Amino acid sequence: MESKAPPDNFSQQFGVLKRREVEARILAPLIQAFAKEFGREKVEKLLSETIVELAHAQGADLAEDLGTTVDSFAESLRIWQMDDAMEIEVIEKSETRFDFDVKRCRYAELYRELGIQELGALLSCNRDFALIEGFNPSAKLDRKKTIMAGDSCCTFRYTFPSKEQS
């Protein structure tokens, strides 16, 4: 069975932060039960693979709706920023680069408040690389730090192909 991302209008209507909270409240007890029955490593591997598939499909859907440029990707961030979910500081934005730091991440705060910080990386941060790959297969993400892992910020460094490379 192939995973399909829920329609974008769901995230736009409710915001991704609220969606992640609902998902986490449902998934956390299920993951714990499945891990007890089948082993944590096996369950987390399957969860990770599924989340990556969903994120890749979501990236492709975004590209279909918005295009595959730096500007269109930057515009898509509004979905993840709804409800003040992230505070970002743009470091560089050009035709081929989009670098920013997340200074506050309410997603990380949410998972900590729910007592499932270790699942936060699987359920949220795990999506980022697959999302950009689905959005633009030639674009690359380099991220060295995340708030979820205890760093002071998340470092997102995107490289997009120039028009000549496209």
Side-chain angles (χ1 to χ4, degrees):
M1 177 173 91
E2 186 176 319
S3 302
K4 178 78 170 113
D8 252 357
N9 59 356
F10 181 88
S11 293
Q12 291 174 3
Q13 184 178 356
F14 295 103
V16 178
L17 182 63
K18 182 53 78 180
R19 179 172 154 188
R20 293 290 180 267
E21 180 178 359
V22 170
E23 290 171 352
R25 289 182 183 275
I26 293 167
L27 287 175
L30 286 171
I31 292 167
Q32 290 171 348
F34 290 148
K36 188 176 181 180
E37 183 70 23
F38 304 111
R40 185 162 206 87
E41 187 175 312
K42 190 181 282 187
V43 171
E44 287 184 358
K45 181 179 184 294
L46 183 59
L47 174 64
S48 178
E49 290 169 356
T50 303
I51 294 291
V52 164
E53 283 179 27
L54 290 169
H56 194 276
Q58 185 179 25
D61 289 346
L62 281 172
E64 190 174 309
D65 292 344
L66 302 173
T68 61
T69 67
V70 170
D71 287 335
S72 55
F73 186 72
E75 170 62 23
S76 76
L77 286 183
R78 68 182 164 69
I79 297 168
W80 286 274
Q81 291 179 288
M82 285 175 66
D83 303 320
D84 296 317
M86 291 189 315
E87 292 176 15
I88 68 167
E89 177 183 324
V90 175
I91 296 165
E92 179 183 351
K93 184 171 169 285
S94 70
E95 184 182 298
T96 59
R97 301 267 330 154
F98 185 38
D99 297 348
F100 62 90
D101 289 345
V102 175
K103 297 295 194 172
R104 180 177 182 207
C105 178
R106 289 189 52 210
Y107 298 97
E109 293 170 14
L110 166 71
Y111 294 115
R112 282 189 193 112
E113 288 168 10
L114 294 175
I116 56 168
Q117 181 177 345
E118 76 285 353
L119 289 178
L122 274 173
L123 297 174
S124 282
C125 302
N126 193 31
R127 299 170 187 260
D128 298 330
F129 291 90
L131 181 90
I132 194 63
E133 184 180 286
F135 182 81
N136 182 331
S138 298
K140 301 294 177 224
L141 167 61
D142 180 36
R143 185 183 62 211
K144 302 281 190 236
K145 299 179 181 179
T146 65
I147 293 171
M148 197 80 70
D151 295 305
S152 61
C153 68
C154 303
T155 55
F156 286 84
R157 306 295 183 261
Y158 292 96
T159 306
F160 285 73
S162 65
K163 287 183 180 175
E164 297 82 45
Q165 293 173 319
S166 298

